[in-house]
Amino acid sequence: MLVQIVLFDGFDLLDALAPYEVFAAADLLSGGAIKVELVTAEGARSVASGTNGLPIAAGGTIDPGQAAILVVPGASGDVAGAGPGSVPTILHRASETKLTALVGEALGKPGVTVATVCGGSLLLAMGGLMEGRHAVTHRLGMDALAATGAVPVAARVV
């Protein structure tokens, strides 16, 4: 089973690396039945996280035809401001890349699970992928999530 964790400039480190660690441990315990990759919409590259710009190497491209699970993290940055480093700005920029088209392709494939962490659901909503779907995000983004046509749910996990 292939698990791809999607990175984009400004991604939240914990949102991406915690699932990576869990799936990597599952790979070890399953005898290699699970492969986990860090990927981007653009292909292999160094991706600056939103936490002090720490660079993380992504090894490939989102592959909706091969992945069984896609994980889309949220963003981190200057959440108080509306400047270039703010979470909404980071998510908006990411939503305008090929990321949403590739994830949208995955959403249409049977057997593919798309999971988001925190603002990842808002990123997909900004890209038009969450209309009519139940979702949750950070409490500050719930109104924005609703404005996209998603169905916000007051829960920790949807």
Side-chain angles (χ1 to χ4, degrees), residues 121-122 124-133 135 137 140-152:
S121 61
L122 190 51
L124 298 186
M126 289 174 165
L129 300 177
M130 297 298 291
E131 189 168 341
R133 295 179 186 266
T137 191
L140 294 177
M142 293 293 271
D143 289 341
L145 194 61
T148 68
V151 181

Side-chain angles (χ1 to χ4, degrees), residues 2 4 11 25 29 32 35 37 42 44 50 59 65 67 69 85 89 97 113 115 117 121 123 126 138 151 154-155:
L2 177 61
Q4 293 192 317
F11 74 94
L29 295 172
K35 180 180 178 190
E37 302 175 336
E42 303 80 20
I69 300 175
T89 301
T97 69
T113 298
V117 181
S121 61
L123 187 162
M126 289 174 165
H138 187 280
V151 181

Side-chain angles (χ1 to χ4, degrees), residues 60 68 86 105 130:
S86 73
E105 188 179 327
M130 297 298 291

Side-chain angles (χ1 to χ4, degrees), residues 40-42 61-64 70 98-107:
T40 71
E42 303 80 20
T61 306
I62 299 167
D63 188 347
L70 283 177
K98 293 187 290 184
L99 185 156
T100 51
L102 291 167
V103 174
E105 188 179 327
L107 283 169

Side-chain angles (χ1 to χ4, degrees), residues 17-118:
L17 297 185
Y20 181 89
E21 184 174 3
V22 169
F23 285 115
D27 175 46
L28 290 173
L29 295 172
S30 70
I34 299 171
K35 180 180 178 190
V36 61
E37 302 175 336
L38 298 174
V39 297
T40 71
E42 303 80 20
R45 68 181 180 94
S46 179
V47 185
S49 76
T51 307
N52 293 330
L54 180 68
I56 301 292
T61 306
I62 299 167
D63 188 347
Q66 297 296 316
I69 300 175
L70 283 177
V71 179
V72 181
S76 65
D78 178 15
V79 295
S86 73
V87 168
T89 301
I90 293 166
L91 293 174
H92 180 71
R93 284 183 188 149
S95 76
E96 293 183 325
T97 69
K98 293 187 290 184
L99 185 156
T100 51
L102 291 167
V103 174
E105 188 179 327
L107 283 169
K109 292 195 176 290
V112 177
T113 298
V114 175
T116 63
V117 181
C118 199

